[in-house]
Amino acid sequence: MTQRQKYSIVTKFKDFELRNYNSCVLAQVTMTSDYSSATSGAFRHLFNYISKGNEVSKSIAMTAPVIASTDKGSSSQDWTISFVMPAGSTLNDLPLPLDSKVAMKERASENCVALGFKGRASESLALKMEAKLREAAVREGLTLSNQVRICRFDPPFKPGFMQYNEIVIPVTQ
């Protein structure tokens, strides 16, 4: 079974969860494009990295989710697509990517709100779910960042109606 990003539930609300995500290391590619083009274009670079496209030709286990993030406060169409490295990894443990488009980043532990949904994670569906999550979080008195993460847990060949995804947004207070 594919390892999932580690977190603990802080509070379960009616419509979403407040979670504390463990610190982790990400392999990521940033592209200026529409959501669909960015996710498909970046995926190839990231998959090549974990499939021995690194300085020591070491295969790295695939994890879930694949994260597409953007800053809604920005006017650009910059999307950062990330693979979460296996739990417990550090930058020093992981080989450097051979592809200059792939960057490695440590993400500190953080609190985020999360809302799960079924269906193919199109940009239009993700926008709808993001609006629902932001509205629910405001009702609970939470302040959220401008960043939004579309987290996909299933391979693209799985039928869309069976795919599980989440919208994850960092909490600012």
Side-chain angles (χ1 to χ4, degrees), residues 5 21 65-68 117 121 149-153 164-168:
Q5 185 178 14
Y21 283 88
V66 173
I67 303 169
F117 64 98
R149 299 175 190 158
I150 303 167
C151 302
R152 296 172 300 152
F153 290 83
Y164 177 75
N165 313 284
E166 294 178 345
I167 297 294
V168 174

Side-chain angles (χ1 to χ4, degrees), residues 44-78:
R44 182 183 82 252
H45 294 281
L46 293 166
F47 187 77
N48 286 344
Y49 167 69
I50 66 169
S51 301
K52 301 185 181 183
N54 55 66
E55 68 176 2
V56 294
S57 295
K58 175 183 173 185
S59 215
I60 300 167
M62 182 75 180
T63 62
V66 173
I67 303 169
S69 60
T70 191
D71 186 337
K72 295 295 184 163
S74 168
S75 60
S76 73
Q77 279 197 307
D78 288 346

Side-chain angles (χ1 to χ4, degrees), residues 21-135:
Y21 283 88
N22 295 2
S23 60
C24 65
V25 176
L26 303 170
Q28 56 188 32
V29 172
T30 299
M31 300 187 86
T32 301
S33 185
D34 63 274
Y35 166 74
S36 180
S37 297
T39 56
S40 62
F43 186 89
R44 182 183 82 252
H45 294 281
L46 293 166
F47 187 77
N48 286 344
Y49 167 69
I50 66 169
S51 301
K52 301 185 181 183
N54 55 66
E55 68 176 2
V56 294
S57 295
K58 175 183 173 185
S59 215
I60 300 167
M62 182 75 180
T63 62
V66 173
I67 303 169
S69 60
T70 191
D71 186 337
K72 295 295 184 163
S74 168
S75 60
S76 73
Q77 279 197 307
D78 288 346
W79 285 94
T80 300
I81 313 306
S82 306
F83 280 10
V84 179
M85 296 294 98
S89 297
T90 67
L91 284 176
N92 292 334
D93 298 336
L94 296 165
L96 294 174
L98 296 175
D99 183 339
S100 62
K101 291 188 183 298
V102 178
M104 304 302 290
K105 177 186 175 185
E106 288 182 308
R107 180 179 285 158
S109 173
E110 64 182 343
N111 285 336
C112 299
V113 292
L115 172 67
F117 64 98
K118 292 274 191 176
R120 193 167 305 281
S122 66
E123 187 170 15
S124 61
L125 179 56
L127 285 169
K128 179 180 170 183
M129 301 313 290
E130 176 193 357
K132 181 178 177 179
L133 177 56
R134 286 186 184 279
E135 183 179 303

